[in-house]
Amino acid sequence: MSTSEATGESEAASGVRPRRRPRPRTVLLAALALLVAAGLLTAGTGYWAYEHYTGRVQRIPRTFPTNAPVPPPSRGGSNYLLVGIDTRSPVATTGNDAKGALWKYGDQRSDAMMLVHIPDDRSTAYVVSLPRDSWVEIPGHGRAKLNAAYSWGGPPLLIDTVQRLTAVRVDHFAVIDWNGFRKLTDAVGGVDMLMPDGERRHMNGEQALAYVGERKSLPNGDLDRAHRQQNYLRTVLEKVTASASLGDPLRLKETLDIFTDTISVDERFTDTDMRELVWEMKGVRAGDMTFMNAPVKGTGTEKGQSVVHLDAAACAELWTAFKESTMAAYLAGHRVDRLRAATN
């Protein structure tokens, strides 16, 4: 590891400025159900658990948009839109524990959005965060912040917006709310986050929620916050796949129960699809994955709102790599805002 990789600084300065008092936010953890489960399920629980837990994952009806253009599938890979929502509901809205509506007009916002490309050889995953304040065209609503798409139209409108923005086909969708985030964090015994000074800081669910929601004190605002979310996801991946709980059937069952209690996926993501994915990715670990932000030009003001302006030309190259499944070559030839070994 190079000295620069240990600093926790991103590779590209974004110019994003903190804008308002932070609120507790959710980080996206739906990827855990897709990537971590393989390591857990092959650690001694047997096929009964493999079948049982994939079958318990909550499906979202009518996830995908209708009467909207659909990009062609990516060559040599598949794409997943993973979303964390900031909801005002006092009860769970995702997973088998859900007691509130997953979407109600104006009540939820997509606070964390990651587009993930998994190549057909299942050797890795490329995770790209889409800034929540990206100023984009939302079908039927004109230009607005990207997170407004979920607030106005739930999963179908968000998927439609992302597909039109990127020309990348979303094959599957997964979502978790902040209640699930906190519960899942506590279920794994908290996390030991690696900080820029090299120290590990232990955080429970509430503390981790504050950590991933902070942006006021961060030099690059929303983009640094996205890296915190990625850092958290990576840390949980590392902990679950390497922890002693793999040898503790009771702890393992509790963790798997939390996954299915807190995460929801699209109705097209069948049990068979999920089982094949987790089996084929059983050897993938956090260190095999690449986490980065979508390219941006900087920030600005639109209609009195502070927004993030995406770099259209740079993003087009990135999304082409998604569609052609040439992400390894793309990363070799481009300077990207990549998550390093530690983050702020």
Side-chain angles (χ1 to χ4, degrees):
M1 181 187 305
S2 69
T3 301
S4 63
E5 286 177 327
T7 65
E9 299 298 329
S10 48
E11 293 182 2
S14 67
V16 175
R17 294 287 186 266
R19 292 185 290 278
R20 60 179 180 268
R21 184 174 179 268
R23 300 171 54 201
R25 305 284 185 180
T26 184
V27 67
L28 178 64
L29 293 177
L32 294 172
L34 311 179
L35 305 177
V36 178
L40 295 171
L41 296 173
T42 57
T45 59
Y47 184 80
W48 69 269
Y50 181 59
E51 186 173 51
H52 172 69
Y53 284 105
T54 54
R56 289 187 67 227
V57 176
Q58 182 72 21
R59 288 346 193 261
I60 305 166
R62 301 178 296 280
T63 310
F64 291 90
T66 58
N67 300 320
V70 180
S74 292
R75 299 180 184 178
S78 53
N79 307 304
Y80 300 76
L81 181 57
L82 310 179
V83 174
I85 56 173
D86 176 8
T87 176
R88 300 174 185 176
S89 173
V91 297
T93 61
T94 61
N96 285 327
D97 269 356
K99 295 179 176 61
L102 175 66
W103 172 76
K104 184 178 179 181
Y105 186 89
D107 276 5
Q108 299 97 351
R109 296 175 297 176
S110 51
D111 198 66
M113 290 162 282
M114 298 182 190
L115 196 57
V116 181
H117 179 74
I118 301 177
D120 278 345
D121 66 8
R122 304 293 198 246
S123 60
T124 186
Y126 301 97
V127 182
V128 179
S129 287
L130 301 170
R132 62 185 292 275
D133 291 341
S134 299
W135 191 247
V136 302
E137 187 73 24
I138 298 178
H141 296 271
R143 297 187 69 81
K145 291 184 180 182
L146 179 58
N147 71 337
Y150 192 97
S151 180
W152 290 336
L157 185 57
L158 178 60
I159 292 172
D160 189 17
T161 301
V162 170
Q163 289 187 150
R164 292 176 193 253
L165 174 68
T166 64
V168 170
R169 180 172 179 170
V170 174
D171 298 297
H172 292 296
F173 176 88
V175 61
I176 188 171
D177 67 12
W178 73 269
N179 291 291
F181 162 81
R182 182 173 54 192
K183 185 175 181 179
L184 183 54
T185 305
D186 290 333
V188 300
V191 290
D192 296 318
M193 300 298 300
L194 180 62
M195 309 306 288
D197 60 6
E199 295 296 320
R200 291 275 182 180
R201 182 181 303 167
H202 185 79
M203 299 181 185
N204 60 24
E206 287 289 348
Q207 292 165 333
L209 198 61
Y211 167 80
V212 301
E214 174 63 32
R215 64 176 174 179
K216 184 176 181 180
S217 65
L218 305 180
N220 295 319
D222 278 342
L223 298 190
D224 283 346
R225 182 174 68 174
H227 281 319
R228 282 192 168 199
Q229 295 170 349
Q230 296 167 356
N231 189 38
Y232 176 87
L233 175 58
R234 182 177 61 186
T235 300
V236 174
L237 283 164
E238 291 170 345
K239 177 170 184 177
V240 174
T241 56
S243 73
S245 68
L246 294 180
D248 183 342
L250 293 178
R251 174 62 64 84
L252 180 57
K253 180 182 182 302
E254 178 183 351
T255 302
L256 289 170
D257 283 339
I258 296 299
F259 287 147
T260 56
D261 285 345
T262 57
I263 295 167
S264 298
V265 302
D266 67 86
E267 77 278 22
R268 298 179 187 173
F269 201 4
T270 67
D271 292 350
T272 298
D273 290 338
M274 189 173 296
R275 290 165 192 158
E276 288 178 353
L277 180 63
V278 297
W279 176 256
E280 292 168 359
M281 296 195 72
K282 62 182 180 294
V284 175
R285 296 295 180 264
D288 302 317
M289 301 168 63
T290 299
F291 297 84
M292 59 181 288
N293 281 324
V296 304
K297 284 186 175 180
T299 59
T301 301
E302 300 286 349
K303 299 180 180 179
Q305 307 172 78
S306 295
V307 302
V308 173
H309 292 296
L310 297 172
D311 186 326
C315 282
E317 292 186 77
L318 171 60
W319 305 136
T320 296
F322 259 61
K323 292 182 287 186
E324 300 295 327
S325 203
T326 56
M327 281 297 296
Y330 170 86
L331 291 171
H334 294 77
R335 190 168 180 261
V336 299
D337 185 14
R338 190 190 306 207
L339 178 66
R340 294 185 180 275
T343 194
N344 287 328

